[in-house]
Each structure stands twice: as C-alpha cells, then as structure tokens.
Amino acid sequence: MNQTESAKSLENGSAAERFDVVIVGAGFAGMYMLHKTRQLGLSAIVLDKASGVGGTWYWNRYPGARCDVDSIQYSYSFDEDLQQEWEWTEYYATQPEILRYANHVADRHDLRKDMRLNTEVVSASFVEGTNGKKTGHWELETKGEHGGRVEGTFVVMGTGCLSTPNKPKVEGLEDFAGAVYHTGFWPHEGVDFTGKRVAVIGTGSSAIQAIPEIAKEAAHLTVFQRTPNYTIPAQNHPLDPKEYEEIRARYGELRETAKTQPNGLIYDRSPRSVLETSEEERWAEFERRWAKGGTNFIASFNDVMMNTEANEMAAEFVRGKIREIVKDPKTAEILTPHNIIGCKRLCVDTDYWATYNRDTVDLVDVRNDPIERVVPEGVKAHGKVFEVDALVLATGFDAMTGTLLRMNIRGRGDLPLKEKWADGPRNYLGLAVAGFPNMFTVTGPGSPSVLANMIPAIEQHVDWIADCLAYLNEKGVGEIEPVEDAESEWMEHVRVVGDVSLRSHCDSWYVGANVPGKPRIFMPYIGSVPEYARRCNEAARKGYEGFRLA
Ligand code: N01
C-alpha cells in the first residue's frame, strides 16, 4: 500500500488509519526505519510517547550524561553527506550534542511529518486474516496527543534496549517530602542542586557519570552503593581538527572496517594473552590503556573477558588505582569491586573516584545492610536517617525486554508476548518472534545490540528488515514469521556462545538480575558482529530461511 492508498482506507470509513509499516519509537532505530520505508515507497508512521526524537538521548538528560563510544563511531553511516557535514566537538559526545544530532537528522530527512509524538502505544495485536483477506495485520491502540487506533501490515519495534526505568523496590519512596528523580527520566528543564542535600541510589554507568557533576553543585551528597563498580577514566578531549579531517577523508573505509570487528567498533584490541606477559609488561599496557581512557581497557589482552585469571589481573590494576586516588582507605575499600571486571558493563567516567575525596561527599555501603526505607526527611539505612532534600534514583532499566513486555503485544491466537517470554525472551536472529507474524524488533534480545556499537547495529537491523520488506513486496508475500525450530536453534546458539563468556556468569542487567523475578537469561548475542551479520544475510540469501512466508 502506498501513501495515497493508506489515506484511502480512511476515506472508505475504516475506523483506524492503515499503514504498510507502523514503527514504534522515534529514536535512532525508528528514524532510520522510517527513512528506509520511504525509500521503498511504503507508507509508514512512527509513534512515540516522547515529545521529541532521540529515544534514550531524549530521556536520559541527567547531569554528566554522555556516550562512552566515540562520537565518530556512534553516529549514522547511511548518509555520507551527513557524516561529512556534521561537526562532533568532543571525542565522547554529551547528551545535548547527541540529541541535537538526532533532531538534525529528523529535519534533514523531513522525518517529523510521518511521526506522531506524545503518543504512547498501549497495545499491539496481530489480527488474523479472514476469508476475504488471507493475511493478517497489526492493530495498535495508542493514547496521548494522537491517541486512537492505527493499523499496519507490519510493525517494527524500535523501542530501545534501555527504555523502561527500573524503580527500586524501596519502601516509602512515595512518602519522601523532597523531589525524586530517575536518571532515565530526567526533567527537561534540568535540576539545580545548588545548596541542596542530595542522595544518589546506585553506582552504575548513569550514577558514575552523574555523581561528579551533582557533587559540584550540591551542599552535600550521599551515595548509597549496593555493588561497587569498575570504571575507567574517559580522558575525554575536544576532537583534533586535523585528525577529524583525516577521518572524514576515509570515513566510509573506517565504517567498513568496523563491520569486520567483533563488537562492530574500531577498537585498540590486543591479540596477546595477558597470561603470556611479565608483570612489568602487563602493568605498562594497563597503564597505557588507563591513560588513553575508555572501555578499550577491557581489550588490553585478548583473554580478559574469557579467563578468570586474566580478568583478575586487569581487575587488580583498577583496584590499585582506586586505592591510589581515594584518600580515605575505608571509603576506598567500600568502592573496590571484587567481582569480574567487565561482567557488568564497564563504566567510563570523569573524576568519579576523586569525587569521594570531597568533604561534601559520603558513601554508604548498603550491600549487606540494605536501605531500610525512605522517610519524608530522607533515606533510612544502618539504623539512622540520612536527611536529604532530593533523591536521585540511578537504578537502571528493565533492560531489553521491559518495554516490549509492558506494551501488551499479542500475536497469533491472541497469545500475549508476556506468556511466550515467561521464561525469558525467545526469537529468531533477534529480529522476529514465532507466533508474532510481521513483527520485527530492532536490536532486540538475541542480537548483538548492547554489546555492539548501537547505531551501526541499528543500521544493520533496519537494512535487513527493509530488504526483507522489499523481497516480500516483490514476491507478493503478505506474512512472514519465524518457524519454531529456527527460533529454538537460534536461542540455543545464543546460549552456547554466551556461556563461553565470563559476562553471562555474574549478576547484571544483561541477565535480568537487576529486576526482581525476571527470568535469568543472558539476553544479548555475544557471538561476533560479523558472524551475526553473516547469519542474517545467509538467511535472507536463502529466501528467508527459518521463516515461514505466506
Ligand atoms: O543502570 P545499572 P545504569 N538499592 O543497572 C543499583 C547504559 N548507559 O542506568 O549493581 C540500592 O547499571 C544497582 O546496584 P546492583 C549502559 O549500557 C550508558 O547506571 O544491582 N541500589 C546499580 O548500582 C549501562 O550499563 C551510558 O547491586 C540499587 C544501579 O542501581 C546501562 O545504561 C551511560 C537498588 C543501577 O545500575 C544501565 O546503566 C549511562 C536498590 N534497591 C547508562 N536497585 C554511556 O554510554 C538498583 N540499585 C556512558
């Protein structure tokens, strides 16, 4: 159906507007999907409860928010003129700069006219074809500015991996007399903490970026830490114009190289085992990586994420840095992690450890003695009340599945996705779910997504989905759905490759451990990005092998 035909279905008195493709989410996935559907001549609409584009960068406006993948790589590659013309200012871009970029892309490609913002999808149901019409379609109920019903032959979920904030189960939160903020749902007008007593709960990536910034403003900051975390200094810096020019001259070539890398990123990846080095050699390499900054630290040696002994050496180096930087030995000890480095996502910071040297910053260890409750005056822990004026929940997200499961998605035979995924997410290639025809997920569980460079990972998925839609159109196919066997084989493969990595063996949001009651499954695909793309392409080349086409 093209734009004119879609409008016609309205004229014909149909209760809902009908599109070829309904795209949920106006982040980087939804925006690029819209661009691609237009190129195919399909009608499409993007729905998002946010009032603007940008997805995660629209919501996560907490102080200090920035990306820990370098801006040169954390950007779209599909538009050569865009990557030549856009000016990133810093090595790691701030949230406002990334949001400006998202808005620029939306304007540049005139995307907004096919978007319904302030419009939340509350349910999405697959409606089976009837006698007169053999293939089914999706019906989505929405609420908000453009609330109502929308129909799509296909639905593409560009709903993000970290888009449903995880509120901690701490009693009394609603009794707190001051303001409560979640890092993933930050007020647009910003928050002025000047002269305030502030508490932060959590010490993940968001907290580690926010704490140094909040500490600069607040009269006093108390950090409640359950699990200490490893973080590497960003060593962020402005982009050198000469270097940037050189990158631009061969941007396309660099993008192609990135696609051949295990995590889709050009990384300083060592081919050596740490176990084969002398202590001096390995320390020198760790020091070099620390001075350079960023998550590249984890690639100092090729076995850091594969072998516990190798991992312990890298971890011990970081522990030494904590002891060196944090002046109070007791605070340093509480801040020191003893688990696997890189098992929870490695954090990247600016002045995180040094912030604990400020007289106005206190750390409270709530590992074995958890927060008792929140009271109107503050946070009660260790038998006393820490009085504060504002409370910041840096408590993360119901990652990868949270948003999809809250959307009331129902497939064939009215099967709720919640039921299908009761024991954890199941899908084929991280792209489609058996029993949920004509629904695609961009960077869903079972795909490299959060372990890769997100924007190129999105591009790979969207390109694959767009090619698939073109193929279906050309062959006159109205329905596509993975077969159960292909799904089961894929899930088994995801499990087997995940098992080899140290990452799947500790508590993190990768395995759903941060959300009480969530089934424990290592959700992303940790096989390499090129191998993943090869498998997706092979399925397509073989006429969408593993899918049933109707
Ligand atoms: O969330 P998290 P995040 N009492 O889940 C603690 C991406 N990201 O928003 O570890 C006390 O990592 C919890 O403790 P524990 C990135 O992928 C990227 O920080 O469960 N504490 C933990 O310390 C990242 O991994 C960037 O014991 C409680 C914290 O809250 C992902 O987003 C920047 C608690 C949550 O940490 C999520 O990061 C920011 C309780 N009841 C985020 N409940 C960049 O690109 C939870 N916690 C730089």
Side-chain angles (χ1 to χ4, degrees):
M1 198 193 286
N2 57 33
Q3 302 271 4
T4 331
E5 281 170 294
S6 115
K8 258 191 227 152
S9 73
L10 255 191
E11 283 164 26
N12 290 343
S14 152
E17 247 179 309
R18 177 75 180 256
F19 299 89
D20 293 320
V21 189
V22 177
I23 301 162
V24 187
F28 285 104
M31 289 203 293
Y32 184 45
M33 192 71 235
L34 175 59
H35 177 70
K36 290 293 285 190
T37 50
R38 278 188 187 164
Q39 283 181 339
L40 294 173
L42 299 173
S43 63
I45 192 80
V46 172
L47 307 169
D48 198 312
K49 71 174 173 187
S51 65
V53 299
T56 195
W57 301 103
Y58 171 93
W59 297 106
N60 286 267
R61 298 167 185 245
Y62 59 84
R66 64 168 80 233
C67 189
D68 61 6
V69 174
D70 56 289
S71 42
I72 298 288
Q73 299 198 73
Y74 189 86
S75 49
Y76 283 128
S77 67
F78 75 88
D79 178 344
E80 174 60 17
D81 291 343
L82 169 68
Q83 66 183 9
Q84 289 300 328
E85 289 164 26
W86 181 261
E87 291 282 344
W88 293 111
T89 59
E90 293 176 83
Y91 189 74
Y92 295 116
T94 59
Q95 173 273 331
E97 189 166 18
I98 301 172
L99 191 56
R100 271 200 302 281
Y101 174 76
N103 276 289
H104 172 80
V105 175
D107 293 336
R108 187 181 181 100
H109 290 283
D110 198 13
L111 298 176
R112 292 179 212 274
K113 69 171 189 248
D114 292 318
M115 286 185 178
R116 298 211 179 132
L117 301 173
N118 294 312
T119 303
E120 181 179 358
V121 176
V122 289
S123 71
S125 307
F126 181 73
V127 180
E128 307 265 3
T130 52
N131 288 343
K133 202 168 174 306
K134 285 189 203 126
T135 52
H137 68 274
W138 282 88
E139 281 185 8
L140 290 90
E141 296 290 340
T142 65
K143 67 172 187 192
E145 193 176 331
H146 305 281
R149 192 146 60 85
V150 175
E151 292 179 2
T153 308
F154 297 92
V155 65
V156 179
M157 298 298 181
T159 42
C161 296
L162 297 158
S163 43
T164 294
N166 177 34
K167 261 195 155 184
K169 301 238 172 328
V170 178
E171 259 184 73
L173 261 179
E174 54 297 332
D175 302 336
F176 183 57
V180 181
Y181 306 100
H182 192 290
T183 46
F185 195 71
W186 202 258
H188 285 206
E189 61 281 12
V191 181
D192 183 3
F193 289 115
T194 312
K196 298 257 164 53
R197 297 163 305 169
V198 184
V200 172
I201 300 180
T203 48
S205 298
S206 303
I208 280 174
Q209 290 186 325
I211 284 167
E213 294 302 314
I214 296 174
K216 283 182 200 161
E217 262 181 31
H220 193 272
L221 173 63
T222 311
V223 177
F224 292 87
Q225 173 192 276
R226 190 163 66 183
T227 310
N229 231 326
Y230 295 95
T231 175
I232 307 296
Q235 316 287 19
N236 188 36
H237 51 83
L239 281 169
D240 172 21
K242 194 163 163 283
E243 246 175 70
Y244 200 173
E245 234 11 79
E246 284 165 12
I247 288 165
R248 279 207 179 100
R250 50 190 200 100
Y251 222 144
E253 179 198 324
L254 293 171
R255 299 286 197 180
E256 286 310 308
T257 306
K259 286 182 191 164
T260 66
Q261 304 299 302
N263 61 353
L265 266 171
I266 298 177
Y267 230 41
D268 187 0
R269 208 172 270 108
S270 165
R272 297 177 70 198
S273 157
V274 68
L275 303 177
E276 291 162 5
T277 58
S278 68
E279 194 172 336
E280 268 167 20
E281 270 179 298
R282 79 180 72 113
W283 236 241
E285 182 57 11
F286 289 143
E287 277 293 357
R288 186 180 79 77
R289 301 264 175 169
W290 183 270
K292 201 170 170 202
T295 58
N296 267 289
F297 181 84
I298 213 71
S300 316
F301 296 95
N302 65 7
D303 43 3
V304 172
M305 284 320 298
M306 306 305 281
N307 176 301
T308 41
E309 199 187 332
N311 188 277
E312 178 58 19
M313 290 174 183
E316 192 45 36
F317 174 85
V318 178
R319 292 180 200 132
K321 286 290 181 192
I322 301 170
R323 289 191 285 267
E324 204 177 291
I325 299 168
V326 180
K327 293 197 179 114
D328 173 41
K330 194 161 167 261
T331 306
E333 181 47 37
I334 299 171
L335 285 170
T336 301
H338 292 280
N339 53 358
I340 305 257
I341 183 170
C343 202
K344 281 178 189 285
R345 193 172 184 280
L346 189 60
C347 303
V348 174
D349 72 282
T350 299
D351 294 334
Y352 178 66
W353 307 118
T355 296
Y356 291 93
N357 293 333
R358 284 176 176 261
D359 294 338
T360 52
V361 177
D362 284 329
L363 178 67
V364 182
D365 180 3
V366 291
R367 175 113 205 117
N368 298 318
D369 196 355
I371 293 171
E372 286 162 46
R373 60 173 298 125
V374 171
V375 293
E377 305 77 33
V379 180
K380 190 164 181 219
H382 299 188
K384 70 175 214 184
V385 173
F386 294 83
E387 288 189 12
V388 290
D389 307 304
L391 186 50
V392 175
L393 308 176
T395 46
F397 303 88
D398 184 350
M400 308 204 76
T401 56
T403 306
L404 292 170
L405 292 178
R406 275 171 183 76
M407 213 187 287
N408 190 15
I409 299 174
R410 288 169 179 269
R412 211 182 270 293
D414 210 30
L415 176 72
L417 186 65
K418 240 184 191 157
E419 207 173 300
K420 161 109 191 186
W421 284 7
D423 297 327
R426 286 182 63 74
N427 61 20
Y428 177 44
L429 293 172
L431 276 161
V433 184
F436 295 76
N438 291 6
M439 180 179 90
F440 297 101
T441 50
V442 181
T443 62
S447 78
S449 57
V450 290
L451 300 175
N453 182 9
M454 280 309 285
I455 298 186
I458 284 168
E459 287 185 322
Q460 184 257 336
H461 261 191
V462 169
D463 287 342
W464 189 95
I465 295 166
D467 288 348
C468 175
L469 294 178
Y471 177 90
L472 301 179
N473 213 14
E474 188 195 313
K475 302 278 178 198
V477 174
E479 251 179 50
I480 182 166
E481 177 187 353
V483 293
E484 291 275 358
D485 284 354
E487 187 173 89
S488 297
E489 275 168 36
W490 178 250
M491 292 318 298
E492 181 56 11
H493 175 62
V494 172
R495 190 191 64 75
V496 167
V497 293
D499 235 21
V500 178
S501 166
L502 294 178
R503 275 199 166 122
S504 59
H505 299 285
C506 65
D507 289 346
S508 70
W509 58 259
Y510 292 132
V511 297
N514 63 328
V515 176
K518 192 164 171 169
R520 191 182 174 107
I521 279 198
F522 187 69
M523 293 182 285
Y525 175 65
I526 205 169
S528 77
V529 163
E531 172 58 12
Y532 174 73
R534 189 193 67 73
R535 283 172 181 257
C536 292
N537 294 341
E538 179 147 308
R541 195 174 49 77
K542 293 185 174 165
Y544 294 88
E545 190 179 53
F547 289 91
R548 185 186 61 80
L549 308 186

